[in-house]
Amino acid sequence: GYTAEVEVYFNFTKAWSRQDSDLSLSTARSSFAAILLPSTPTTTTTYEPPTVTGNPVVLITGGAGSDFETLSSTEIYPISCSVPALPSGRDRHSTFATTGPNSKIVTCGGDTTQGSTASCVVLDVENQLWDETLMGDLPQPRSSAAPVTIENVGTYLIGGYPSSMKRTSDFL
């Protein structure tokens, strides 16, 4: 199975250290996507808009679970915060933030129980769901791609699988 343990590299000691068990992920997983968020979206009830705290956190989406099942679950690390699950399980996918004044958190591609997917879903924090209609599909199914977002330009998905792809990058 996979681990839920977290290790951190401290610049001042130039060494890796294992985090305390209370700072582990809530779900052991591998092949997930993660993105650093500048602040934490939280909701107090389902009827109120989200509030934001000032501490940076990591949004973790999907992946493969301890029994090698494809996960749809999400979590905010290192704190526990309610984030909606992906519409369906996916691993080896790419999660990134778009640029601009209305930045969005997006998950694209990856592998599902039906194989590689080209679909993209956008996190709607206010309504606590992943919207499958706000962004079109990738030009081709793709998994294990690296997202690179450039401010005022856009996001590239670079590399990935399957090896039969004619292009190795897509611009979103």
Side-chain angles (χ1 to χ4, degrees):
Y2 299 120
T3 184
E5 292 178 351
V6 175
E7 295 176 348
V8 61
Y9 181 81
F10 290 106
N11 289 334
F12 59 91
T13 62
K14 297 185 170 111
W16 287 94
S17 176
R18 180 172 289 156
Q19 292 288 78
D20 294 331
S21 61
D22 60 334
L23 291 176
S24 293
L25 299 177
S26 61
T27 302
R29 59 180 80 216
S30 176
S31 304
F32 57 88
I35 181 173
L36 180 67
L37 300 177
S39 53
T40 311
T42 60
T43 55
T44 52
T45 71
T46 57
Y47 304 106
E48 295 178 16
T51 57
V52 176
T53 64
N55 297 327
V57 294
V58 177
L59 171 64
I60 298 168
T61 59
S66 291
D67 295 325
F68 306 105
E69 74 279 16
T70 303
L71 301 173
S72 62
S73 63
T74 62
E75 60 183 287
I76 296 284
Y77 180 85
I79 61 170
S80 193
C81 174
S82 175
V83 179
L86 294 168
S88 60
R90 60 173 79 194
D91 62 1
R92 296 184 205 78
H93 55 288
S94 303
T95 297
F96 57 91
T98 62
T99 63
N102 297 316
S103 180
K104 299 187 180 342
I105 298 170
V106 181
T107 292
C108 289
D111 293 329
T112 68
T113 55
Q114 289 80 39
S116 291
T117 183
S119 74
C120 293
V121 294
V122 178
L123 179 59
D124 179 343
V125 175
E126 187 172 324
N127 293 310
Q128 289 290 291
L129 58 85
W130 290 89
D131 192 320
E132 298 178 79
T133 65
L134 290 178
M135 180 179 275
D137 288 351
L138 296 171
Q140 57 203 348
R142 177 186 295 257
S143 61
S144 301
V148 177
T149 300
I150 301 171
E151 190 68 36
N152 299 319
V153 175
T155 300
Y156 292 88
L157 283 184
I158 302 169
Y161 184 83
S163 59
S164 62
M165 292 187 311
K166 294 184 173 140
R167 290 189 303 240
T168 59
S169 65
D170 287 313
F171 180 70
L172 305 176

